[in-house]
């Protein structure tokens, strides 16, 4: 069913951007707006949003469904000219907003047919609206993170001498499903030893050895919403002095950045807070990525926590805080939580300990 409040919020953004009509083609954005997930493959799927007329879902008749979505539907067949289907629905005297996922093969057809007076990337009208989660979305994100916390405790039990990264990763989905998740929100990262110094290491046949770091960057989907968390453990032996120093720096950076979160602060300042702690500790060159990313129906949504993002925190935004230090041959540490910006400040959605833990 069409989410009227979300649609109205998008329409208000469109008006501010000077757009009266907009084609949304991202299936996940369409799902967020109308509650119907359609994966069109190479075929055209579009939600036409207009500020002065009802929205219309344009969909190939291959994807038939009975439910009333609360708006008109424009069906077409494989033998129809998609441009000829869309053009009559548009105001040729106005600009057409398109989103960043619209395929050129469809956009160029509209341009050549003179379907609108101009074309503009209107993605921000949807992206910025999706970034601010409503109460129902916030609760789903809380639940997904609670499941992720519980799963992390079970993942520790997969660790024993001689196990490989892949053997651990291959057991994670079963644990998630036993806890009520429908699947991974992204391919899990399981990194032993020096692999922890590779921020996006994919698990392989590396055997676990005594003294290794054990880094888990994992997330699951519950009720369509994603979780994401990273913890770094050590196997059977306390880390050496430098590794412990690195771990404590990352923990301080994570907790200091989280503590400052509240509506109205510049998002870049959050990244700067964490980065300054790591830089002052002597490891600035080894913190090689942004501090965080937004999350919701997808693990990575529009918006990030970086020095380049000068927008302000708003109540309802949910993003990760995940500082890391990656010094090849020495240590790799990342500690990541999801945090919800609340009207009064913030709520950390993950409750799994930040303590340095040695697994036996």
């Amino acid at each position: 069913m069409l989410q009227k409040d979300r649609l109205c919020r998008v329409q208000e953004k469109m008006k501010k951007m000077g757009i009266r009509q907009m084609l949304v083609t991202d299936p996940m954005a369409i799902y967020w707006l109308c509650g119907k997930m359609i994966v069109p493959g190479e075929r055209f799927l579009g939600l036409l949003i207009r500020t002065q007329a009802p929205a219309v879902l344009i969909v190939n008749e291959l994807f038939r469904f009975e439910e009333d979505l609360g708006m008109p539907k424009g069906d077409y067949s494989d033998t129809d000219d998609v441009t000829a289907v869309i053009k009559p629905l548009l105001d040729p005297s106005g600009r057409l907003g398109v989103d960043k996922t619209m395929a050129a093969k469809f956009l160029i057809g509209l341009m050549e047919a003179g379907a609108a007076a101009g074309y503009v990337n209107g993605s921000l009208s949807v992206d910025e609206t999706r970034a601010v989660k409503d109460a129902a979305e916030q609760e789903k994100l809380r639940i997904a993170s609670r499941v992720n916390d519980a799963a992390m405790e079970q993942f520790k039990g997969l660790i024993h001498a001689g196990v490989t990264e892949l053997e651990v990763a291959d057991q994670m989905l079963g644990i998630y499903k036993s806890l009520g998740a429908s699947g991974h929100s992204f391919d899990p990262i399981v990194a032993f030893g020096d692999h922890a110094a590779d921020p996006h290491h994919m698990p392989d046949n590396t055997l676990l050895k005594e003294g290794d770091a054990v880094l888990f960057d994992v997330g699951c989907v519950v009720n369509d919403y994603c979780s994401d968390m990273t913890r770094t453990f050590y196997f059977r032996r306390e880390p050496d002095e430098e590794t412990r120093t690195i771990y404590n720096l990352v923990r301080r950076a994570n907790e200091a950045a989280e503590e400052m979160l509240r509506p109205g602060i510049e998002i870049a300042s959050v990244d700067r807070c964490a980065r300054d702690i790591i830089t002052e500790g002597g490891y600035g060159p080894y913190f090689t990525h942004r501090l965080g990313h937004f999350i919701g129906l997808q693990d990575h949504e529009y918006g990030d926590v970086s020095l380049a993002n000068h927008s302000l925190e708003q109540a309802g935004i949910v993003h990760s805080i995940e500082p890391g230090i990656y010094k090849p041959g020495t240590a790799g540490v990342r500690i990541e939580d999801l945090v919800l910006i609340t009207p009064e400040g913030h709520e950390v959605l993950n409750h799994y300990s930040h303590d340095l833990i040695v697994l036996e």
Side-chain angles (χ1 to χ4, degrees):
M1 178 63 69
L2 187 66
Q3 301 291 312
K4 293 183 179 178
D5 177 66
R6 295 174 185 176
L7 178 65
C8 287
R9 289 161 58 201
V10 171
Q11 288 171 322
E12 288 304 310
K13 292 273 189 184
M14 289 170 57
K15 290 175 185 176
K16 291 177 181 178
M17 296 174 68
I19 304 170
R20 300 198 307 269
Q21 52 190 353
M22 166 85 178
L23 271 173
V24 179
T25 63
D26 175 10
M28 191 63 80
I30 293 173
Y31 174 64
W32 177 77
L33 282 162
C34 71
K36 184 68 179 177
M37 173 55 76
I38 300 170
V39 182
E42 75 276 13
R43 295 174 173 86
F44 181 82
L45 172 70
L47 179 64
L48 175 61
I49 301 175
R50 299 173 288 191
T51 59
Q52 298 174 330
V56 179
L57 182 66
I58 305 163
V59 58
N60 191 288
E61 63 183 9
L62 174 69
F63 307 102
R64 292 182 177 174
F65 54 89
E66 298 299 324
E67 60 262 48
D68 179 6
L69 298 182
M71 60 181 160
K73 190 169 63 166
D75 292 317
Y76 72 93
S77 73
D78 280 347
T79 58
D80 289 329
D81 177 357
V82 175
T83 298
V85 172
I86 301 172
K87 184 177 177 180
L89 301 171
L90 303 178
D91 175 3
S93 68
R95 296 189 304 165
L96 175 65
V98 297
D99 66 10
K100 58 184 180 288
T101 67
M102 187 168 178
K105 65 181 180 179
F106 300 124
L107 177 57
I108 290 172
L110 293 173
M111 295 172 71
E112 291 177 343
Y119 302 84
V120 61
N121 184 350
S123 289
L124 290 181
S125 64
V126 177
D127 291 342
E128 291 182 348
T129 306
R130 277 182 67 185
V132 179
K133 273 47 184 180
D134 59 32
E137 292 180 292
Q138 291 173 29
E139 183 58 22
K140 289 179 179 180
L141 285 161
R142 287 188 188 97
I143 292 168
S145 282
R146 285 202 293 268
V147 170
N148 214 21
D149 284 341
M152 184 67 77
E153 185 63 27
Q154 294 196 36
F155 295 159
K156 289 192 324 185
L158 302 176
I159 297 302
H160 58 83
V163 75
T164 70
E165 294 170 344
L166 271 175
E167 287 169 343
V168 172
D170 286 346
Q171 297 176 76
M172 288 179 162
L173 182 58
I175 290 173
Y176 275 138
K177 288 189 173 182
S178 74
L179 294 168
S182 58
H184 294 294
S185 53
F186 57 93
D187 290 336
I189 296 174
V190 179
F192 295 162
D194 194 44
H195 287 167
D198 175 1
H200 277 181
H201 172 73
M202 287 292 99
D204 59 25
N205 289 313
T206 297
L207 293 168
L208 180 66
K209 306 183 301 298
E210 184 174 313
D212 275 352
V214 177
L215 185 150
F216 293 140
D217 186 346
V218 292
C220 61
V221 179
V222 183
N223 297 321
D224 296 329
Y225 280 76
C226 295
S227 59
D228 189 357
M229 176 172 59
T230 306
R231 291 294 184 270
T232 307
F233 306 107
Y234 298 91
F235 182 57
R236 287 189 177 172
R237 191 169 68 217
E238 292 280 343
D240 62 28
E241 182 177 350
E242 183 176 14
T243 300
R244 182 176 288 275
T245 296
I246 288 172
Y247 189 97
N248 289 333
L249 271 175
V250 172
R251 179 176 180 173
R252 281 179 51 211
N254 171 286
E255 293 174 357
E258 291 178 356
E259 184 60 29
M260 71 181 292
L261 291 171
R262 64 185 185 278
I265 66 169
E266 185 184 54
I267 292 176
S269 70
V270 184
D271 183 293
R272 188 176 300 110
C273 169
R275 201 167 299 279
D276 284 352
I277 289 171
I278 289 173
T279 298
E280 289 165 8
Y283 291 91
Y286 301 105
F287 181 14
T288 54
H289 56 73
R290 63 193 179 184
L291 182 63
H293 58 85
F294 287 30
I295 191 169
L297 285 168
Q298 295 165 289
D299 177 53
H300 282 225
E301 294 192 344
Y302 173 83
D304 67 8
V305 186
S306 73
L307 294 176
N309 189 349
H310 301 293
S311 60
L312 304 182
E313 295 278 16
Q314 299 179 62
I317 286 175
V318 179
H319 58 63
S320 65
I321 294 290
E322 49 181 301
I325 294 175
Y326 314 97
K327 186 177 179 183
T330 301
V333 176
R334 181 163 65 255
I335 300 174
E336 174 188 16
D337 300 310
L338 296 185
V339 186
L340 164 68
I341 308 302
T342 66
E344 300 78 23
H346 68 275
E347 175 187 347
V348 181
L349 301 187
N350 293 106
H351 302 288
Y352 202 89
S353 175
H354 290 174
D355 290 347
L356 192 157
I357 296 173
V358 177
L359 306 176
E360 296 298 335

